[in-house]
Amino acid sequence: MWRTNAVISMLVEDVAELRVSVSPDGSSNDREATSERPEMEALTKATRRAILVSLIDWIALVILLAFHSGPGPFLPLGPSTETVFTLGALAVAMHSGFRLGQARTYKAVSRVSEELLERQAD
């Protein structure tokens, strides 16, 4: 027997690794009255947060690179203090890529969940 709600909860909790917070005093009628399911709301918030953090990372990276000055190489790797700057810039770029990957995963889980809910309605 196919249980759509259980599959969606597994997708959100296991694949997207999000914890869905359900208020203990809310009844099932209140949940059905809302326009969206709590899982979908959690996915939407997490997607927005991941994109926002990635945008902040790119702004920080642009500021770092814009104010980097010096006659030496642009991003040197060697026995100097400039290596710390290079590693920091690479860490910010790597974190941004990680968050963009998270946003992509959240969107994929959201699409699959919406498709499952549409199929359940049919």
Side-chain angles (χ1 to χ4, degrees):
M1 181 170 157
W2 184 265
R3 298 182 66 198
T4 305
N5 293 336
V7 172
I8 291 174
S9 292
M10 282 177 36
L11 280 171
V12 171
E13 292 178 2
D14 295 338
V15 176
E17 296 182 359
L18 294 175
R19 300 289 169 240
V20 179
S21 60
V22 179
S23 60
D25 59 346
S27 65
S28 62
N29 293 336
D30 292 339
R31 259 181 64 179
E32 292 174 2
T34 60
S35 62
E36 284 193 58
R37 299 171 46 94
E39 292 92 355
M40 301 306 283
E41 289 177 13
L43 282 169
T44 303
K45 288 178 184 178
T47 303
R48 277 192 233 136
R49 186 174 49 246
I51 291 172
L52 178 67
V53 169
S54 181
L55 180 66
I56 291 170
D57 283 344
W58 279 103
I59 290 170
L61 192 60
V62 166
I63 290 171
L64 279 172
L65 295 177
F67 290 114
H68 181 258
S69 62
F74 188 61
L75 292 173
L77 282 175
S80 69
T81 57
E82 293 294 319
T83 303
V84 175
F85 173 80
T86 301
L87 294 176
L90 289 174
V92 170
M94 196 168 47
H95 183 258
S96 175
F98 169 75
R99 295 301 284 201
L100 285 175
Q102 271 188 330
R104 185 175 178 186
T105 301
Y106 296 151
K107 285 181 182 180
V109 170
S110 178
R111 281 193 306 266
V112 169
S113 298
E114 288 172 359
E115 186 175 329
L116 287 173
L117 288 172
E118 287 175 8
R119 287 184 182 186
Q120 180 186 19
D122 292 341

